[in-house]
Amino acid sequence: MEEKRLEISEIHKLTKTIPFFEGLSPLSLTNAISHVVTRQHPANRVILLENDWGGSVYFIVDGWVKIRTHNVDGKEVTLNIVGKGEIIGEMSALDEAPRSTDAITLTPTTVSSIPAPDFLTLLQTEPLAGIRLTQLISKRLRQVNRRLRLREAESLSRVADTLLFLVEGQGKTTQEGTKIPNLPHRELASITGLARETVSRALTKLEQDGLIFRENDTLCILKLDALEDLIS
């Protein structure tokens, strides 16, 4: 793992990469990110541990991270998959309590961290920062509610919902369609609550129907409306 303080040019890049910082006053930004540290992690590296105390808030500069917990039987449950521009670890900073989930890199990932006191000061001095954090929490709550609503739906609908969930977070529009990472089937299985074999069959069905196209590390959604119809 490589760790370093950010130079001025890198701080500028961070403010352009993370939507949360956009439009905040220069003085507030300077104070908030004066102690920022960036770390580069390989894939499958735990960067936050459940029950640890939250001394920092983390911003994903590049890569993909899954947020997980475990059920009463000890089985891993993926709650979220987040990518470039997202924030993690903010809840522990807000309520000054131990972390409730793990965060694990799915790909080589660059993460910048801000000490929790600096993050809280930013929220206190910048109303726009507080609004953005509230919007982020609301969006994640809506996503969880939607997935819970579909928990008893057929497998195709649940896989379609997961793909749309990833589009909402990190989809990139191209001439071909909307592209998201082609995550391992075990990760999609964990977030949908389905068996890996079931997820594989559902993806094959969606591809045969011309709704998606998979190639190496990218999954391209060709017909967003058709996917949305599957969960309506």
Side-chain angles (χ1 to χ4, degrees):
M1 176 182 67
E2 183 181 342
E3 175 179 337
K4 60 181 179 180
R5 293 274 178 190
L6 293 182
E7 302 295 336
I8 297 298
S9 61
E10 293 175 295
I11 290 176
H12 179 72
K13 178 183 177 182
L14 177 65
T15 59
K16 294 297 183 182
T17 302
I18 310 299
F20 180 82
F21 293 130
E22 186 178 351
L24 301 185
S25 72
L27 178 60
S28 295
L29 278 175
T30 299
N31 293 333
I33 62 180
S34 60
H35 301 112
V36 168
V37 173
T38 188
R39 294 179 173 88
Q40 295 175 345
H41 301 277
N44 301 313
R45 174 65 57 85
V46 176
I47 55 178
L48 298 180
L49 274 174
E50 187 172 356
N51 295 320
D52 275 0
W53 286 91
S56 298
V57 177
Y58 298 80
F59 298 83
I60 302 174
V61 179
D62 195 26
W64 286 86
V65 175
K66 72 174 176 180
I67 310 301
R68 75 168 187 192
T69 187
H70 294 83
N71 63 21
V72 293
D73 298 320
K75 181 180 179 182
E76 179 180 310
V77 178
T78 299
L79 301 175
N80 204 348
I81 295 175
V82 295
K84 182 178 178 180
E86 290 273 9
I87 307 172
I88 57 176
E90 77 288 346
M91 297 302 294
S92 184
L94 286 173
D95 59 15
E96 298 181 341
R99 301 194 188 282
S100 58
T101 59
D102 299 325
I104 303 171
T105 59
L106 291 174
T107 63
T109 301
T110 301
V111 179
S112 294
S113 62
I114 293 177
D118 291 353
F119 182 72
L120 294 175
T121 298
L122 178 64
L123 295 179
Q124 292 165 357
T125 57
E126 277 285 341
L128 181 58
I131 291 171
R132 286 193 174 143
L133 183 60
T134 301
Q135 291 171 334
L136 171 67
I137 294 171
S138 297
K139 182 185 78 171
R140 290 177 177 173
L141 181 58
R142 285 196 307 272
Q143 290 170 336
V144 170
N145 287 340
R146 189 177 71 187
R147 281 163 42 208
L148 287 174
R149 177 174 59 84
L150 291 170
R151 209 61 177 173
E152 302 303 321
E154 62 178 18
S155 59
L156 199 62
S157 296
R158 290 161 68 175
V159 171
D161 176 66
T162 297
L163 297 182
L164 290 170
F165 165 67
L166 295 174
V167 166
E168 186 176 350
Q170 293 293 321
K172 295 181 180 179
T173 302
T174 69
Q175 290 184 340
E176 297 174 276
T178 305
K179 294 188 175 182
I180 57 176
N182 189 17
L183 296 173
H185 291 184
R186 67 177 180 274
E187 303 298 347
L188 294 176
S190 181
I191 201 169
T192 57
L194 297 167
R196 184 168 57 180
E197 294 78 9
T198 303
V199 169
S200 297
R201 288 195 297 268
L203 290 173
T204 298
K205 169 67 172 169
L206 293 173
E207 192 161 24
Q208 290 173 343
D209 289 346
L211 274 62
I212 66 171
F213 176 74
R214 292 175 287 175
E215 55 179 359
N216 300 323
D217 59 350
T218 301
L219 188 151
C220 183
I221 298 174
L222 305 173
K223 299 179 180 179
L224 277 174
D225 291 346
L227 277 189
E228 291 170 353
D229 287 342
L230 289 175
I231 67 172
S232 61

mmCIF file of all heavy atoms in Angstrom, residues 33-58:
data_model
loop_
_atom_site.group_PDB
_atom_site.id
_atom_site.type_symbol
_atom_site.label_atom_id
_atom_site.label_comp_id
_atom_site.label_asym_id
_atom_site.label_seq_id
_atom_site.Cartn_x
_atom_site.Cartn_y
_atom_site.Cartn_z
ATOM 1 N N ILE A 33 -9.448 19.930 3.403
ATOM 2 C CA ILE A 33 -8.548 18.936 2.810
ATOM 3 C C ILE A 33 -7.073 19.219 3.098
ATOM 4 O O ILE A 33 -6.185 18.649 2.476
ATOM 5 C CB ILE A 33 -8.771 18.823 1.286
ATOM 6 C CG1 ILE A 33 -8.467 20.152 0.587
ATOM 7 C CG2 ILE A 33 -10.197 18.387 0.991
ATOM 8 C CD1 ILE A 33 -8.681 20.097 -0.920
ATOM 9 N N SER A 34 -6.831 20.064 4.097
ATOM 10 C CA SER A 34 -5.439 20.374 4.434
ATOM 11 C C SER A 34 -4.698 19.178 5.008
ATOM 12 O O SER A 34 -3.469 19.135 4.974
ATOM 13 C CB SER A 34 -5.390 21.550 5.429
ATOM 14 O OG SER A 34 -6.080 21.214 6.628
ATOM 15 N N HIS A 35 -5.429 18.201 5.542
ATOM 16 C CA HIS A 35 -4.794 17.012 6.113
ATOM 17 C C HIS A 35 -5.162 15.739 5.342
ATOM 18 O O HIS A 35 -5.111 14.643 5.892
ATOM 19 C CB HIS A 35 -5.193 16.851 7.584
ATOM 20 C CG HIS A 35 -4.820 18.024 8.437
ATOM 21 N ND1 HIS A 35 -5.756 18.858 8.999
ATOM 22 C CD2 HIS A 35 -3.602 18.507 8.797
ATOM 23 C CE1 HIS A 35 -5.133 19.807 9.679
ATOM 24 N NE2 HIS A 35 -3.834 19.619 9.578
ATOM 25 N N VAL A 36 -5.529 15.917 4.091
ATOM 26 C CA VAL A 36 -5.896 14.756 3.271
ATOM 27 C C VAL A 36 -4.685 13.867 3.022
ATOM 28 O O VAL A 36 -3.575 14.339 2.781
ATOM 29 C CB VAL A 36 -6.484 15.226 1.921
ATOM 30 C CG1 VAL A 36 -6.602 14.061 0.947
ATOM 31 C CG2 VAL A 36 -7.859 15.833 2.129
ATOM 32 N N VAL A 37 -4.916 12.562 3.110
ATOM 33 C CA VAL A 37 -3.894 11.568 2.768
ATOM 34 C C VAL A 37 -4.491 10.633 1.724
ATOM 35 O O VAL A 37 -5.659 10.238 1.825
ATOM 36 C CB VAL A 37 -3.457 10.763 4.013
ATOM 37 C CG1 VAL A 37 -2.534 9.627 3.623
ATOM 38 C CG2 VAL A 37 -2.787 11.671 5.029
ATOM 39 N N THR A 38 -3.716 10.282 0.715
ATOM 40 C CA THR A 38 -4.187 9.355 -0.312
ATOM 41 C C THR A 38 -3.449 8.036 -0.199
ATOM 42 O O THR A 38 -2.245 8.009 0.103
ATOM 43 C CB THR A 38 -4.017 9.935 -1.727
ATOM 44 O OG1 THR A 38 -4.651 9.072 -2.663
ATOM 45 C CG2 THR A 38 -2.567 10.101 -2.107
ATOM 46 N N ARG A 39 -4.187 6.952 -0.405
ATOM 47 C CA ARG A 39 -3.595 5.611 -0.352
ATOM 48 C C ARG A 39 -4.016 4.820 -1.581
ATOM 49 O O ARG A 39 -5.158 4.940 -2.039
ATOM 50 C CB ARG A 39 -4.052 4.867 0.907
ATOM 51 C CG ARG A 39 -3.571 5.465 2.215
ATOM 52 C CD ARG A 39 -4.078 4.676 3.401
ATOM 53 N NE ARG A 39 -3.512 5.132 4.667
ATOM 54 C CZ ARG A 39 -4.031 6.099 5.412
ATOM 55 N NH1 ARG A 39 -5.129 6.713 5.022
ATOM 56 N NH2 ARG A 39 -3.445 6.452 6.538
ATOM 57 N N GLN A 40 -3.099 4.023 -2.068
ATOM 58 C CA GLN A 40 -3.386 3.142 -3.195
ATOM 59 C C GLN A 40 -3.411 1.704 -2.686
ATOM 60 O O GLN A 40 -2.442 1.234 -2.086
ATOM 61 C CB GLN A 40 -2.333 3.318 -4.292
ATOM 62 C CG GLN A 40 -2.361 4.717 -4.902
ATOM 63 C CD GLN A 40 -1.256 4.942 -5.907
ATOM 64 O OE1 GLN A 40 -0.289 4.181 -5.982
ATOM 65 N NE2 GLN A 40 -1.376 6.006 -6.690
ATOM 66 N N HIS A 41 -4.526 1.021 -2.932
ATOM 67 C CA HIS A 41 -4.731 -0.327 -2.431
ATOM 68 C C HIS A 41 -4.861 -1.314 -3.588
ATOM 69 O O HIS A 41 -5.456 -0.986 -4.620
ATOM 70 C CB HIS A 41 -6.021 -0.415 -1.601
ATOM 71 C CG HIS A 41 -6.052 0.502 -0.421
ATOM 72 N ND1 HIS A 41 -5.463 0.187 0.784
ATOM 73 C CD2 HIS A 41 -6.601 1.735 -0.245
ATOM 74 C CE1 HIS A 41 -5.659 1.172 1.648
ATOM 75 N NE2 HIS A 41 -6.343 2.120 1.043
ATOM 76 N N PRO A 42 -4.368 -2.534 -3.418
ATOM 77 C CA PRO A 42 -4.630 -3.584 -4.413
ATOM 78 C C PRO A 42 -6.060 -4.098 -4.257
ATOM 79 O O PRO A 42 -6.770 -3.727 -3.313
ATOM 80 C CB PRO A 42 -3.612 -4.668 -4.036
ATOM 81 C CG PRO A 42 -3.429 -4.493 -2.552
ATOM 82 C CD PRO A 42 -3.534 -3.008 -2.295
ATOM 83 N N ALA A 43 -6.476 -4.944 -5.173
ATOM 84 C CA ALA A 43 -7.790 -5.571 -5.056
ATOM 85 C C ALA A 43 -7.833 -6.487 -3.841
ATOM 86 O O ALA A 43 -6.799 -6.999 -3.383
ATOM 87 C CB ALA A 43 -8.100 -6.369 -6.324
ATOM 88 N N ASN A 44 -9.042 -6.661 -3.290
ATOM 89 C CA ASN A 44 -9.283 -7.562 -2.151
ATOM 90 C C ASN A 44 -8.564 -7.113 -0.874
ATOM 91 O O ASN A 44 -8.160 -7.945 -0.062
ATOM 92 C CB ASN A 44 -8.880 -9.000 -2.498
ATOM 93 C CG ASN A 44 -9.637 -9.539 -3.690
ATOM 94 O OD1 ASN A 44 -10.862 -9.406 -3.764
ATOM 95 N ND2 ASN A 44 -8.924 -10.122 -4.638
ATOM 96 N N ARG A 45 -8.456 -5.816 -0.709
ATOM 97 C CA ARG A 45 -7.847 -5.266 0.501
ATOM 98 C C ARG A 45 -8.944 -4.634 1.380
ATOM 99 O O ARG A 45 -9.740 -3.836 0.889
ATOM 100 C CB ARG A 45 -6.796 -4.213 0.145
ATOM 101 C CG ARG A 45 -6.191 -3.463 1.340
ATOM 102 C CD ARG A 45 -5.394 -4.366 2.243
ATOM 103 N NE ARG A 45 -4.327 -5.047 1.554
ATOM 104 C CZ ARG A 45 -3.119 -4.535 1.334
ATOM 105 N NH1 ARG A 45 -2.827 -3.309 1.752
ATOM 106 N NH2 ARG A 45 -2.198 -5.253 0.725
ATOM 107 N N VAL A 46 -8.958 -5.010 2.654
ATOM 108 C CA VAL A 46 -9.909 -4.416 3.591
ATOM 109 C C VAL A 46 -9.410 -3.022 3.949
ATOM 110 O O VAL A 46 -8.288 -2.862 4.437
ATOM 111 C CB VAL A 46 -10.062 -5.269 4.866
ATOM 112 C CG1 VAL A 46 -10.991 -4.575 5.857
ATOM 113 C CG2 VAL A 46 -10.596 -6.654 4.520
ATOM 114 N N ILE A 47 -10.238 -1.998 3.712
ATOM 115 C CA ILE A 47 -9.817 -0.638 4.031
ATOM 116 C C ILE A 47 -10.579 -0.069 5.229
ATOM 117 O O ILE A 47 -10.106 0.869 5.866
ATOM 118 C CB ILE A 47 -9.941 0.297 2.817
ATOM 119 C CG1 ILE A 47 -11.354 0.287 2.234
ATOM 120 C CG2 ILE A 47 -8.929 -0.077 1.754
ATOM 121 C CD1 ILE A 47 -11.528 1.243 1.065
ATOM 122 N N LEU A 48 -11.753 -0.634 5.525
ATOM 123 C CA LEU A 48 -12.492 -0.282 6.740
ATOM 124 C C LEU A 48 -12.997 -1.565 7.375
ATOM 125 O O LEU A 48 -13.468 -2.462 6.681
ATOM 126 C CB LEU A 48 -13.693 0.620 6.436
ATOM 127 C CG LEU A 48 -13.435 1.996 5.817
ATOM 128 C CD1 LEU A 48 -14.753 2.720 5.596
ATOM 129 C CD2 LEU A 48 -12.513 2.812 6.683
ATOM 130 N N LEU A 49 -12.922 -1.640 8.689
ATOM 131 C CA LEU A 49 -13.361 -2.838 9.405
ATOM 132 C C LEU A 49 -14.568 -2.536 10.280
ATOM 133 O O LEU A 49 -14.609 -1.521 10.982
ATOM 134 C CB LEU A 49 -12.233 -3.383 10.290
ATOM 135 C CG LEU A 49 -11.233 -4.330 9.650
ATOM 136 C CD1 LEU A 49 -10.115 -4.642 10.642
ATOM 137 C CD2 LEU A 49 -11.905 -5.620 9.199
ATOM 138 N N GLU A 50 -15.548 -3.437 10.223
ATOM 139 C CA GLU A 50 -16.707 -3.328 11.084
ATOM 140 C C GLU A 50 -16.267 -3.303 12.553
ATOM 141 O O GLU A 50 -15.355 -4.020 12.953
ATOM 142 C CB GLU A 50 -17.647 -4.509 10.830
ATOM 143 C CG GLU A 50 -18.970 -4.429 11.552
ATOM 144 C CD GLU A 50 -19.931 -5.520 11.123
ATOM 145 O OE1 GLU A 50 -19.588 -6.294 10.208
ATOM 146 O OE2 GLU A 50 -21.018 -5.600 11.719
ATOM 147 N N ASN A 51 -16.904 -2.454 13.326
ATOM 148 C CA ASN A 51 -16.660 -2.278 14.762
ATOM 149 C C ASN A 51 -15.418 -1.448 15.086
ATOM 150 O O ASN A 51 -15.160 -1.165 16.261
ATOM 151 C CB ASN A 51 -16.578 -3.626 15.490
ATOM 152 C CG ASN A 51 -17.895 -4.373 15.447
ATOM 153 O OD1 ASN A 51 -18.962 -3.768 15.587
ATOM 154 N ND2 ASN A 51 -17.835 -5.682 15.239
ATOM 155 N N ASP A 52 -14.644 -1.049 14.068
ATOM 156 C CA ASP A 52 -13.561 -0.099 14.318
ATOM 157 C C ASP A 52 -14.148 1.286 14.548
ATOM 158 O O ASP A 52 -15.218 1.611 14.048
ATOM 159 C CB ASP A 52 -12.608 -0.045 13.118
ATOM 160 C CG ASP A 52 -11.560 -1.141 13.177
ATOM 161 O OD1 ASP A 52 -11.580 -1.933 14.138
ATOM 162 O OD2 ASP A 52 -10.724 -1.210 12.255
ATOM 163 N N TRP A 53 -13.432 2.127 15.269
ATOM 164 C CA TRP A 53 -13.871 3.501 15.456
ATOM 165 C C TRP A 53 -13.491 4.320 14.241
ATOM 166 O O TRP A 53 -12.407 4.148 13.663
ATOM 167 C CB TRP A 53 -13.250 4.094 16.721
ATOM 168 C CG TRP A 53 -13.902 3.543 17.944
ATOM 169 C CD1 TRP A 53 -13.516 2.444 18.654
ATOM 170 C CD2 TRP A 53 -15.088 4.032 18.581
ATOM 171 N NE1 TRP A 53 -14.380 2.218 19.694
ATOM 172 C CE2 TRP A 53 -15.356 3.170 19.682
ATOM 173 C CE3 TRP A 53 -15.945 5.106 18.338
ATOM 174 C CZ2 TRP A 53 -16.446 3.363 20.523
ATOM 175 C CZ3 TRP A 53 -17.024 5.307 19.179
ATOM 176 C CH2 TRP A 53 -17.264 4.435 20.258
ATOM 177 N N GLY A 54 -14.380 5.219 13.840
ATOM 178 C CA GLY A 54 -14.182 5.976 12.607
ATOM 179 C C GLY A 54 -13.430 7.267 12.804
ATOM 180 O O GLY A 54 -14.022 8.290 13.167
ATOM 181 N N GLY A 55 -12.135 7.239 12.569
ATOM 182 C CA GLY A 55 -11.346 8.455 12.724
ATOM 183 C C GLY A 55 -11.242 9.285 11.468
ATOM 184 O O GLY A 55 -10.774 10.419 11.507
ATOM 185 N N SER A 56 -11.707 8.729 10.326
ATOM 186 C CA SER A 56 -11.589 9.435 9.055
ATOM 187 C C SER A 56 -12.798 9.148 8.169
ATOM 188 O O SER A 56 -13.498 8.150 8.362
ATOM 189 C CB SER A 56 -10.305 9.011 8.314
ATOM 190 O OG SER A 56 -9.148 9.343 9.043
ATOM 191 N N VAL A 57 -12.990 10.025 7.204
ATOM 192 C CA VAL A 57 -13.980 9.834 6.150
ATOM 193 C C VAL A 57 -13.211 9.637 4.854
ATOM 194 O O VAL A 57 -12.190 10.301 4.617
ATOM 195 C CB VAL A 57 -14.925 11.050 6.052
ATOM 196 C CG1 VAL A 57 -15.906 10.888 4.894
ATOM 197 C CG2 VAL A 57 -15.677 11.230 7.364
ATOM 198 N N TYR A 58 -13.688 8.731 3.993
ATOM 199 C CA TYR A 58 -12.933 8.313 2.820
ATOM 200 C C TYR A 58 -13.666 8.678 1.530
ATOM 201 O O TYR A 58 -14.888 8.554 1.431
ATOM 202 C CB TYR A 58 -12.691 6.806 2.867
ATOM 203 C CG TYR A 58 -11.864 6.379 4.063
ATOM 204 C CD1 TYR A 58 -12.445 6.229 5.314
ATOM 205 C CD2 TYR A 58 -10.499 6.170 3.940
ATOM 206 C CE1 TYR A 58 -11.693 5.872 6.419
ATOM 207 C CE2 TYR A 58 -9.734 5.805 5.035
ATOM 208 C CZ TYR A 58 -10.335 5.663 6.273
ATOM 209 O OH TYR A 58 -9.584 5.315 7.365
#
